[in-house]
Each structure stands twice: as structure tokens, then as C-alpha cells.
Amino acid sequence: MDQITFLHASNTTTHIIQCAHVMNLNFQDRCNFIRTTEGCLKNLHYFDYLNFIFCDVGATSKNNYFSALFIVFIICLYMFITLGTTADKFFCPALAVISKLFGLSENLSGITLMAFGNGAPDIFTSLFNTEDDTELMYTQLLGGAVYVTGFIIGIIMLIYPFNLPKKNYIRDVIFFIISVTFIHNSMHDEFYALNEGIMTICIYLLYLIVVIVQHLLMKKKIRDLKNSSRRSSNSTESEAMMKLAEEMENFTNIQIRNRRDTTVILNNDIWKVFRRKPDGNPNKDLFIKFIHDINPIKRIDWNESSFLGTIFIIIKAPIVFILSFIIPLVDYGEDLHGWSKLLNMINVITLPQVALLVLGIFKQKIFIYIPLPIIILVISIAIDVAIYKTSRNDRPPKYHVIFAAGSFAGSILVIYSVAKEVVSVMTTVAIISDMSDSMVGLSVLAWGNNIGDTFATIALAKQGYQQMAFAACFGGPMLNILLGIGITFIMKGLKSLSNTAHARGGALGPNCIIFLISILSFTFFALLLTNFRTRKSIGYFCIIMYATFLLYCLLGEFEIMHPYGTDHRET
């Protein structure tokens, strides 16, 4: 979820190279090196994995060293489970509810809500880190884009076949190719001018405007078809126009689906929960329902699972239990849409505090003396009092949809935070593997910085929102590439007397460009032949092309072959 961390890419790889010397030392000397070398101290988010591997556990022998690596591997697996659980149980249902509330199509929601939700935290961070060197951001960004358009799109096609809105897809491919070509040409002379930075952002704004206008025009056309159908005296013509309008609505209106079996939930089934008659005491069985809702193992999931499925449910139970106290659940496929009066009141208190902690402002004070968490806590308690007075335990309040925003934001915070920790683990792997800086940029950082999007996108596709997931694979990378590079170089250009910024693209940048355009072109022509219906064969080939890209880069990494665009100049 945090692809824009490329702003720290070059500094990160510098620290990796500096710290990688630890592998040349004896086991007894590694701990002291890790604790005294600045590059090693930078590889830290919440937990210091290098210190754990080389000092706490693996300091004395090779067996202990490999034991420490195994423990870190298990921790990393648990983080992956956390990402998947958060995306599947909280993020996707909330995103669908918000999209339906604002009348967004799956395509528009994927390009806007999902892309902004995933990229916004790091974009804001980028505004305060414009002094970082940008030598490798090009490779990292394009490596991430190749990963998303090759591997993730391939996985989406393997899950369920679906029809793509052809005009939307053609638009996205054209804008994507124009974007990367413009940035590549702008960086060709190793300088990025201020006006080029402004143009970069303008391309993204133009893309966003075209997407929104196209959506509005489609809605207007549907209304016109329905009106013409009602006025038509020819029944055959009227039925044809109405059928065309309904087909177009499949691409302009999102259909809420059950998270477990992807069946469509009708509007009447959604709203009938609000028509339930009150049953006496509004707080009846308040604690009984609370205990039921915090139980991480649901009977329906347990009964429908295989043996391995039940083991997985047990493994992820602690994660679900903890997340239920942080993120409010809003899911139209659940009983009462996931409403739990007491639990949601707890969420109102815990979620803002967790947000302050994740955003690094937990210790901030207002008016010099008053801690920010205390102010937020007082506001949360006031909101809880209002919720207690105005809601019932046996049916959700009409304002329950507001909790969807909290669920969306809370999911992003958790995914963002865990993904950062995954990047820390993968950076540790890069140090141990002694990778070059370019290879780190297009593999470790590209994977780590897209890991949150990977789980969120695959979860969307599995729940039946393939069009949204597919659109996010274009909207996300374009947001990161255009806004990320644009903001960075505008800020750098404003501080330069010549209004330009040094922008070296990295050794493997041209390889990324070639493979990215190749994957986009192949996918386009393959879908053109299938009338824009996805097939598993296309998905397999996309994954094979991404694997070929990695193999090509690895062969260049080990100097077995000479990669196109390899930079032999001294830096």
C-alpha cells in the first residue's frame, strides 16, 4: 500500500550496500558491526530484524543464524496473513459500500478510491522528504509497475473470467504508455525541469478528468436510453433500448456481493434490515452480542472449511480478534451489516488512537500543554455518548454507513503499517543476499512497496469485484508514477537556481520500460482477440512475462549477460 516510498529508495539502497558488509565478517563480529554501522541502524520500522538475527539469536553459530532466519520467515508469513485478512474482511466490503453510496462504478472506484487510499499516506510523506536522492526511484517505480501490470493482473485473470469495459481499458492503456514514455524522455538527459514536473502532474489530472467525465457521460446516456424506452411506442425498440441500458449499468453501477460466495445482494435485501420493528429495550443483549461479534471463529466459516481451512482459521484467529477492536466492520453481506453497538463504540475510541500511533503524531501536543491523544479521546467519548443514545443493538442506525469510512481508513492504516514492516523484512533479506542497488530497487522495494496493494487487489477479485481490481492495477501505478515523480521534481526544481533537478534513471530503467510496454501491448492485443473478455491463458502469459523480466534482470545482476541499458558510467 505504500508504493510511493520510492522517495527513500536511493538512501535505502545506500544503507543496504553499507550494511551488507556484515556478511563478510565472522559471526562473533557481526553484532557489533550491526549496532555501530549507520546503514544498519536505518533498517528499522517497529522491530529491528538485523539485531534479532545477528545479536539476539544468531550471534554465535551458523545454526543459530539459520534459526533466526526461520523465525523471521514465520513472522513475515504472519504479516502476510494480517494483510490478507484486513483486505478480505474489512477493506473490500467497506470500499464496496462507499462506492455504492457515491454511485461509483467499479472502474472509477478502482482508479480513484483504491488508488488514493493506497497511495495517499506516502504522497503526503513525500512532501516532507524532497531532499532525498532520486537516482533509483525511476527503476523502483517502473519495477513496481511491471510487477502490478504483469504479475497482479495475471493473478486477477486466473481467479474468475470477466468482461472488461473496452473504452475504459483502451483509455487506461493509452494514458499509461503516454505517461511512462513522457517521464522516460524527460529523464533521458538526467535532468528533470520544473516545467516537466508540472506537465507530469497535469497528465495525471487530465487522466482523472477524462475518467470522471467518461463516467458521467455514460450515466447520462443510460438515463437518455431509459427515457427514450419509456416514450417509444414500438415495444420491440423499447425493449432493445432498455436491455442496452441495463447492460451499460453493469459497468456504471457497482453491485454489492456477498464476501463468502460472490453472489449479488439485492437492494431490497440491503435496506430491509432498517425496516425491522424495534424490540423493546434498545440495549437488549448488548454484551451477549458483543461476545458473539468478537469471537474470531464464526460457525459458518468453520462448517464450510476443509481440514486445512480450519487450521488456517485457527492461525488467523488472533489477528481477527485484534482487528475487530480496531476496525469497524461494515459489510452488507453480514447480519445487521456488521453492526455491533458496543464493539463499534469501542472502535470509535481505539481507531483514532491507532491512527495517531501509525502516523507518528501520538506524542503531539495542542496549545503546548494538552496531548493530542487526550483531545481525540474526549471527542471519541462524546461521539460514543451520542451513539449510545441514538442507536439500538438489534438493528444498525441510519448513520451506520459513516462507519464504512472508518473501516476504509482503518484498513488502509493497518495495511500501510504492516506493509512497511514487510519492507523492513525484505530489506533485511536484501542485506543478507548482498544485492546490488538496482536489483534492490526493482525487486525488494518494488515487491515490498506493492505488497499491500497485492493483497487488497486479489481480495477484491476473489469477492467478485474483478473490474475494480483490474482498474486499480492502472490507477495505482499511474498515481504513484505521475504524482510521485511530479511532486518530487517540482519541489526540487523550486529549490534550484536553474529550475532543474538531477534525475538519473538507474541501470535497469530501460529494461523496465521495454518489459512494461511489452506487457501492456501483449495484454491489449490478446484481449482485443477475445472481445475484451479475460482468460486464464492471458493471465498465465502475463505472469510468465513478469518472470522473464525478473530472470533477465537476475542474469544481468550476476553478469551472465549484458542487460539493455546497463549503465557503466561512474557515479
Side-chain angles (χ1 to χ4, degrees):
M1 293 249 122
D2 42 348
Q3 300 98 319
I4 311 292
T5 318
F6 64 83
L7 294 162
H8 310 286
S10 188
N11 279 354
T12 300
T13 50
T14 300
H15 301 319
I16 291 173
I17 294 169
Q18 183 184 20
C19 191
H21 294 304
V22 69
M23 301 306 297
N24 300 324
L25 303 176
N26 295 325
F27 279 101
Q28 293 77 9
D29 301 326
R30 291 179 178 182
C31 180
N32 183 62
F33 181 87
I34 288 294
R35 289 178 173 175
T36 56
T37 303
E38 182 182 358
C40 301
L41 299 176
K42 295 290 184 179
N43 180 42
L44 174 64
H45 187 49
Y46 290 122
F47 186 75
D48 191 344
Y49 297 96
L50 287 173
N51 190 78
F52 175 77
I53 292 172
F54 293 110
C55 299
D56 296 337
V57 178
T60 56
S61 68
K62 184 175 289 189
N63 289 336
N64 290 345
Y65 167 71
F66 284 115
S67 298
L69 288 180
F70 178 74
I71 294 172
V72 171
F73 174 74
I74 297 299
I75 293 173
C76 195
L77 284 181
Y78 224 73
M79 286 191 284
F80 287 157
I81 294 173
T82 303
L83 289 170
T85 302
T86 305
D88 179 67
K89 185 175 178 64
F90 299 96
F91 178 78
C92 295
L95 185 59
V97 170
I98 294 173
S99 300
K100 187 172 184 63
L101 178 65
F102 289 101
L104 304 181
S105 65
E106 287 193 36
N107 182 268
L108 182 57
S109 181
I111 290 172
T112 56
L113 285 179
M114 190 166 178
F116 281 114
N118 291 334
D122 283 312
I123 287 179
F124 288 122
T125 301
S126 71
L127 296 175
F128 302 98
N129 292 279
T130 56
E131 295 300 322
D132 289 348
D133 188 11
T134 56
E135 179 182 346
L136 288 180
M137 72 173 178
Y138 187 54
T139 304
Q140 183 186 348
L141 274 174
L142 292 181
V146 176
Y147 169 74
V148 171
T149 56
F151 182 77
I152 299 182
I153 280 183
I155 293 295
I156 292 172
M157 291 185 183
L158 294 181
I159 295 174
Y160 298 115
F162 62 99
N163 294 319
L164 279 171
K166 60 182 69 174
K167 291 182 180 180
N168 294 346
Y169 174 65
I170 294 172
R171 172 205 66 209
D172 294 341
V173 170
I174 291 174
F175 266 98
F176 209 146
I177 293 176
I178 289 174
S179 300
V180 296
T181 303
F182 174 80
I183 292 173
H184 177 67
N185 291 336
S186 298
M187 296 182 68
H188 185 68
D189 60 354
E190 298 189 0
F191 287 97
Y192 215 94
L194 178 61
N195 63 314
E196 290 173 333
I198 295 173
M199 279 293 297
T200 304
I201 292 182
C202 287
I203 292 174
Y204 182 75
L205 294 178
L206 176 62
Y207 170 66
L208 206 57
I209 290 171
V210 170
V211 170
I212 295 172
V213 169
Q214 191 174 342
H215 176 74
L216 295 176
L217 290 176
M218 182 77 78
K219 288 233 172 189
K220 182 178 183 300
K221 187 174 181 180
I222 291 172
R223 289 195 299 268
D224 292 342
L225 281 172
K226 288 184 175 180
N227 292 334
S228 299
S229 174
R230 295 188 188 100
R231 291 194 298 265
S232 177
S233 57
N234 187 324
S235 60
T236 303
E237 183 181 279
S238 176
E239 289 178 4
M241 287 190 290
M242 186 61 70
K243 183 178 180 180
L244 178 59
E246 290 174 354
E247 289 177 356
M248 293 174 65
E249 279 186 327
N250 291 332
F251 295 114
T252 57
N253 295 328
I254 191 170
Q255 294 179 311
I256 302 294
R257 298 178 179 274
N258 190 295
R259 181 170 60 87
R260 292 182 173 86
D261 56 16
T262 73
T263 55
V264 175
I265 303 174
L266 302 177
N267 288 335
N268 186 56
D269 293 329
I270 293 175
W271 303 119
K272 70 180 182 181
V273 68
F274 296 103
R275 296 192 290 267
R276 290 186 179 181
K277 293 182 179 180
D279 185 21
N281 183 2
N283 297 315
K284 183 180 179 181
D285 298 329
L286 184 66
F287 289 99
I288 294 176
K289 180 166 175 52
F290 170 75
I291 296 299
H292 173 270
D293 291 332
I294 63 173
N295 178 15
I297 301 177
K298 305 301 181 185
R299 179 174 297 179
I300 184 173
D301 295 328
W302 184 269
N303 292 337
E304 294 179 355
S305 297
S306 62
F307 175 73
L308 292 178
T310 56
I311 293 176
F312 182 71
I313 289 174
I314 294 172
I315 292 174
K316 74 174 184 178
I319 297 172
V320 176
F321 180 77
I322 294 171
L323 291 176
S324 66
F325 282 94
I326 300 173
I327 308 174
L329 176 64
V330 182
D331 185 352
Y332 286 163
E334 297 288 339
D335 183 43
L336 300 182
H337 298 172
W339 170 253
S340 178
K341 183 172 181 176
L342 184 55
L343 182 57
N344 287 153
M345 289 173 64
I346 293 174
N347 295 146
V348 170
I349 293 176
T350 56
L351 179 56
Q353 301 297 325
V354 171
L356 295 178
L357 187 64
V358 171
L359 297 175
I361 56 176
F362 190 80
K363 296 181 179 181
Q364 290 288 329
K365 294 184 178 181
I366 304 297
F367 306 118
I368 302 178
Y369 301 108
I370 307 175
L372 183 58
I374 298 299
I375 296 176
I376 299 298
L377 178 62
V378 171
I379 296 173
S380 298
I381 292 174
I383 294 174
D384 272 348
V385 171
I387 292 173
Y388 185 81
K389 294 289 186 181
T390 60
S391 65
R392 302 182 58 87
N393 190 46
D394 54 3
R395 71 178 184 188
K398 292 183 178 180
Y399 53 78
H400 184 223
V401 70
I402 298 176
F403 281 83
S407 182
F408 181 73
S411 300
I412 289 173
L413 287 171
V414 171
I415 292 173
Y416 173 81
S417 183
V418 176
K420 280 282 192 182
E421 200 67 17
V422 171
V423 171
S424 183
V425 173
M426 298 185 78
T427 304
T428 302
V429 173
I431 290 171
I432 295 172
S433 304
D434 195 17
M435 293 182 180
S436 71
D437 51 359
S438 293
M439 197 62 200
V440 169
L442 63 85
S443 59
V444 171
L445 295 180
W447 298 333
N449 293 335
N450 286 281
I451 194 67
D453 284 347
T454 301
F455 282 93
T457 305
I458 293 175
L460 279 172
K462 289 176 65 177
Q463 293 186 21
Y465 303 109
Q466 296 98 328
Q467 292 180 27
M468 190 189 302
F470 199 91
C473 290
F474 287 88
M478 287 184 66
L479 173 81
N480 300 329
I481 292 172
L482 293 172
L483 282 192
I485 287 181
I487 290 173
T488 301
F489 286 121
I490 285 176
M491 300 292 283
K492 283 180 171 290
L494 290 173
K495 295 177 182 179
S496 171
L497 294 176
S498 60
N499 287 335
T500 59
H502 181 63
R504 191 169 180 181
L508 295 175
N511 296 284
C512 295
I513 281 283
I514 291 171
F515 274 92
L516 177 58
I517 294 179
S518 298
I519 291 173
L520 290 173
S521 301
F522 163 78
T523 308
F524 173 77
F525 286 114
L527 289 171
L528 189 64
L529 294 175
T530 62
N531 197 25
F532 295 95
R533 180 168 179 81
T534 65
R535 290 183 179 177
K536 288 187 176 182
S537 57
I538 304 175
Y540 282 123
F541 202 85
C542 286
I543 296 173
I544 290 172
M545 289 190 72
Y546 179 69
T548 305
F549 164 72
L550 285 182
L551 177 62
Y552 188 77
C553 295
L554 282 171
L555 292 175
E557 170 75 4
F558 293 107
E559 300 180 354
I560 297 175
M561 64 181 297
H562 184 83
Y564 175 77
T566 300
D567 191 348
H568 296 283
R569 290 168 298 181
E570 294 182 1
T571 56

